[in-house]
Amino acid sequence: MGLGAVVAATLLVSAGRTEAQTCRAVVRTNDVGPQGDVFTSQISGPPAINNLGETVFAARVYGPTGGTKMFRYDSAGSGEVVVSTSDPNPDGGGYSTGKSAFSMISSNDSGDIGFLAKLDVGYAAVLFPGGDASAGIVVAQPGDSSCGVGTIKSVEGVSPVNASGDLAYLAQNSDGKIELCVYDKGTGTSSLGASNSDATDTGREICIIRTAAVSDTGALVFVAGSKLACNDPFEEAATGVYGVVTPGSVEAVAEEGDFGPGGSGSYRKLLYKSSGKKSFIIWPKFNSNDDLVFAAKMSNGNQAIFKGSIGGALQEVIAGGAAAPNTAGTLKKFQWVFLDDSDGVGFTASIRKDAARAGLFQLSASSSVTVDNKTTAEGLGSNNVAGLFANGTTLYAATDAGVSISTDGGATFTNTDSGLPSTNVRQVFVDSGAIYAATDGGLALSTDDGATYSAVAGLASTNVLSVFAVGSKLYVGTDAGLDISTDGGTTFTNVTTGEGLGSNTVQAISARKNTIVVGTTGGVSRSTDSGATFTTTTTADGLGGDDVRAILVVSSTIYAATDGGFSTSTDSGASWSNQTTAEGLGSDSTRGVAVAGATLYVATDAGLGFSTDGGASFSNVTAADGLASNTVTGVVFASGAIASTDAGISFLSGLSGSSILLTSDAPPTGDGNFGPDSKYRKFGKTGAAASSDGTQTAVMAQVKDTFAPPKKSAILRCGP
């Protein structure tokens, strides 16, 4: 089935602005509150907002009663005080004074409010069912029994409340252990979800948990530091995102050092911010479908946003350096991110090279496909492109006339063959600034951004078919086996059929820690001992064809592009299922694969196939839809699918991006808003929130206001 493509010159995220959300002030500095108090500039973020249009936040006020209070404003702008530091807490004690008295506030569509409160005895997790403080519950506080072992010494943070009013909280017990607990509103009890020293499915130990979110079905996702052994003082903890679906079973979603999907390299650091005195991860977060979103700093130096699910594939949604919707600039740093129930992603970000210094943005799925083709006219060395590698907005193309590189998202390319042992380049791979080019005359390395190359010596054959690199480990596939280097290519060890390879012709490679998976002309071969031995599966095990041209590994799932269809294994390669033209692929001869969330892209000899149902069925994009050629040699995903063909490169965009609010926008004026000629100074760093349906957002803002007295700080509600 073909798709009617719109052919246009666009970047990876289209910038068609929608006006579905307009913004107005909920409260401002110097406004009079519901009890006659006046708001100071200490309006705390992040605010919370739900589908009812209720905005909940904390602020410091002065006047008849004064102090720090939590407020709730409805969509019509009518406000009320939920709780004040002068009120007794639900256990009869008091709240501590100060602007950090109420933080990490969230509210669901039933009006339940969860937050971290500073009580006389220390920080506590508190729940107000239906937003009613008189029915409030101190979920956990110092001195309470722990959900695991001993008593609670301190409460470190809380998650957003889920649809049922359940929330997760982090507590340090009397043994010094950090426990991740889940409070069940229905039963009024807490259970242990994870804790320090828990083992992960990647063989690591959880050493410190930073924060967490609980889904509507009770699944947990959290950011943690982990080691091979937590008691090893010399090992540096690595950051990771982990999930728990079954209590006691911790699954790695993304770990520092792993190669991420898309084009930004490996994970360097999972991002989090501070709220009050407590460390609070601004991501990951769940939506009602148990899909999650998080952001990370990547090895290419950019930040990137990812979405996916526990145990499923991840998608790089957008990365730093991409075009900022509705501006002439590019995205720099992400400051807040959320995921609505339709898998739309919202975020705040700083912006480079535009009058708008920051923005609140929304990306949503689009049913249309935009195809933008690039050829030698844009600087490609040749239109015959064998494969691609994406690294943020930098794209590397392997052509039969050298390596072509674009640093502007594919708008233009520069080609070079300087120092290449052959201009016939089969594959390009980039890691930590090193560019590797696999050619039919040997492997070449560039350390000057692709300006010049030098040959890598010590290989079993100069007929190089594939290459993969992670840190100091380098894997090179030739027609004489797999060459492995652990010292950055200084020395190599050659592995052949004698060690279990299906064939000595190695066409595709993927590696993670001690596990290596390669595609050969004799099937898929997998090693779990760093290449000492391999086990091979073939068509006898369900593989579509023994000629394996591309490999992609996502957790325990292996995708293989073969000469007999597109094959998938969900048990680390032990057995396979196969999809062919019967499922909608253009051809059984497949050559590449990319995964973006729940969408699979498969390069074939008769178009680019894509599936949104896990491969059960495929649609096919062809030259009739605007594709450069039906002969698709490979595919990568970097904020959109990018296909290499024998007639150029095709960029496909399936995301619709818009800005909800930019610092260059004029603030709303008039009664209840701001004076004429007012300007936004900044927003986003203190937080933003979105309703679960994605139609309403709330954001903290600082404004240079022309009213007297000026309204310096404000909470804005954006919606219909």
Side-chain angles (χ1 to χ4, degrees):
M1 179 176 64
L3 288 181
V6 180
V7 180
T10 65
L11 290 178
L12 302 184
V13 178
S14 64
R17 187 168 189 170
T18 61
E19 301 296 341
Q21 295 195 28
T22 56
C23 302
R24 63 172 178 80
V26 177
V27 296
R28 308 159 299 172
T29 303
N30 295 318
D31 279 352
V32 177
Q35 295 180 336
D37 299 303
V38 178
F39 285 96
T40 71
S41 60
Q42 295 180 18
I43 302 174
S44 302
I49 191 168
N50 58 26
N51 283 352
L52 304 174
E54 297 173 338
T55 306
V56 185
F57 59 94
R60 194 166 180 82
V61 296
Y62 67 89
T65 56
T68 299
K69 301 181 180 183
M70 185 188 300
F71 298 88
R72 175 173 52 203
Y73 279 72
D74 64 21
S75 59
S78 177
E80 63 177 328
V81 174
V82 178
V83 66
S84 170
T85 50
S86 61
D87 296 335
N89 70 51
D91 275 5
Y95 293 101
S96 176
T97 58
K99 66 178 182 179
S100 60
F102 312 118
S103 58
M104 300 186 184
I105 300 169
S106 62
S107 179
N108 64 15
D109 295 340
S110 299
D112 299 327
I113 298 174
F115 60 99
L116 184 71
K118 191 174 183 181
L119 309 184
D120 293 341
V121 296
Y123 284 99
V126 178
L127 178 69
F128 288 171
D132 184 0
S134 66
I137 304 163
V138 176
V139 172
Q141 63 181 318
D144 286 354
S145 296
S146 168
C147 70
V149 177
T151 57
I152 294 175
K153 182 179 179 181
S154 63
V155 177
E156 304 294 317
V158 299
S159 75
V161 290
N162 68 10
S164 301
D166 307 332
L167 59 80
Y169 60 91
L170 291 172
Q172 185 179 28
N173 67 18
S174 50
D175 291 343
K177 207 172 191 179
I178 298 293
E179 296 176 333
L180 173 56
C181 308
V182 181
Y183 176 78
D184 187 313
K185 176 188 171 186
T187 63
T189 59
S190 295
S191 59
L192 181 64
S195 65
N196 290 7
S197 74
D198 280 357
T200 73
D201 63 344
T202 55
R204 302 180 68 83
E205 287 185 3
I206 300 297
C207 302
I208 182 169
I209 303 174
R210 301 289 188 185
T211 194
V214 59
S215 76
D216 292 348
T217 61
L220 289 167
V221 63
F222 59 93
V223 171
S226 69
K227 298 182 180 182
L228 293 175
C230 290
N231 60 5
D232 183 351
F234 301 105
E235 183 185 0
E236 185 176 349
T239 309
V241 174
Y242 298 92
V244 175
V245 176
T246 304
S249 178
V250 179
E251 300 181 49
V253 176
E255 289 185 317
E256 187 175 336
D258 286 351
F259 204 78
S264 297
S266 57
Y267 302 108
R268 282 185 56 190
K269 185 178 181 182
L270 283 303
L271 302 177
Y272 64 92
K273 288 187 177 291
S274 296
S275 178
K277 300 268 185 191
K278 299 293 175 179
S279 178
F280 181 58
I281 307 288
I282 57 177
W283 35 74
K285 293 177 181 176
F286 278 116
N287 65 9
S288 64
N289 305 316
D290 277 11
D291 295 327
L292 58 88
V293 65
F294 66 92
K297 188 172 183 180
M298 307 302 289
S299 59
N300 69 353
N302 288 326
Q303 296 179 2
I305 295 174
F306 300 89
K307 68 177 180 179
S309 59
I310 298 172
L314 296 176
Q315 170 188 346
E316 182 181 296
V317 178
I318 197 165
N326 307 128
T327 78
T330 57
L331 298 172
K332 185 178 179 183
K333 292 183 179 180
F334 302 109
Q335 297 153 344
W336 207 260
V337 68
F338 38 83
L339 185 69
D340 66 37
D341 291 343
S342 299
D343 281 348
V345 175
F347 59 92
T348 57
S350 56
I351 303 171
R352 293 186 182 99
K353 299 180 180 178
D354 190 77
R357 299 184 303 276
L360 173 63
F361 301 97
Q362 191 173 48
L363 303 176
S364 58
S366 173
S367 59
S368 63
V369 175
T370 299
V371 181
D372 180 22
N373 295 320
K374 303 296 181 181
T375 65
T376 53
E378 284 74 34
L380 280 176
S382 166
N383 289 338
N384 190 14
V385 183
L388 301 168
F389 187 94
N391 189 11
T393 56
T394 302
L395 185 66
Y396 303 83
T399 82
D400 60 7
V403 177
S404 299
I405 302 176
S406 171
T407 58
D408 53 14
T412 60
F413 286 83
T414 299
N415 188 70
T416 185
D417 58 7
S418 177
L420 290 174
S422 167
T423 59
N424 187 21
V425 183
R426 274 85 172 264
Q427 187 184 355
V428 179
F429 196 92
V430 182
D431 181 67
S432 302
I435 305 172
Y436 297 95
T439 81
D440 60 4
L443 179 69
L445 167 66
S446 173
T447 57
D448 57 6
D449 297 323
T452 60
Y453 291 83
S454 58
V456 176
L459 300 177
S461 169
T462 57
N463 187 18
V464 181
L465 306 171
S466 54
V467 60
F468 191 96
V470 180
S472 61
K473 296 181 179 179
L474 178 61
Y475 307 87
V476 184
T478 74
D479 59 0
L482 176 67
D483 292 319
I484 303 174
S485 173
T486 58
D487 54 15
T490 302
T491 60
F492 287 91
T493 299
N494 183 243
V495 178
T496 66
T497 53
E499 285 73 37
L501 286 180
S503 161
N504 286 338
T505 303
V506 179
Q507 303 181 120
I509 309 168
S510 179
R512 181 178 184 269
K513 295 183 172 64
N514 296 329
T515 300
I516 307 168
V517 182
V518 299
T520 77
T521 54
V524 174
S525 302
R526 181 173 181 266
S527 170
T528 57
D529 54 13
S530 300
T533 60
F534 282 84
T535 300
T536 296
T537 50
T538 65
T539 52
D541 305 288
L543 198 64
D546 288 340
D547 185 2
V548 182
R549 286 90 172 257
I551 287 286
L552 179 64
V553 180
V554 180
S555 189
S556 61
T557 300
I558 304 175
Y559 302 100
T562 82
D563 62 339
F566 170 66
S567 300
T568 305
S569 171
T570 57
D571 54 10
S572 300
S575 61
W576 299 84
S577 61
N578 194 53
Q579 287 77 39
T580 65
T581 54
E583 284 74 37
L585 286 174
S587 168
D588 290 349
S589 179
T590 62
R591 298 190 178 275
V593 57
V595 177
T599 304
L600 295 170
Y601 297 91
V602 180
T604 81
D605 286 353
L608 179 67
F610 71 94
S611 170
T612 58
D613 55 13
S617 62
F618 282 85
S619 297
N620 201 40
V621 180
T622 67
D625 305 306
L627 207 63
S629 167
N630 286 337
T631 303
V632 184
T633 56
V635 59
V636 295
F637 190 94
S639 300
I642 311 173
S644 57
T645 78
D646 62 356
I649 300 173
S650 295
F651 291 77
L652 292 85
S653 176
L655 286 176
S656 176
S658 64
S659 64
I660 298 171
L661 191 63
L662 298 169
T663 53
S664 58
D665 289 342
T669 59
D671 185 37
N673 287 301
F674 305 98
D677 301 321
S678 296
K679 296 180 180 180
Y680 290 118
R681 293 182 59 198
K682 60 182 179 180
F683 51 78
K685 285 189 176 181
T686 50
S691 59
S692 60
D693 62 7
T695 62
Q696 302 175 81
T697 53
V699 64
M700 291 288 303
Q702 290 188 14
V703 182
K704 185 177 181 181
D705 187 25
T706 58
F707 272 147
K711 317 297 183 181
K712 297 178 181 178
S713 298
I715 288 182
L716 302 174
R717 174 187 171 273
C718 304

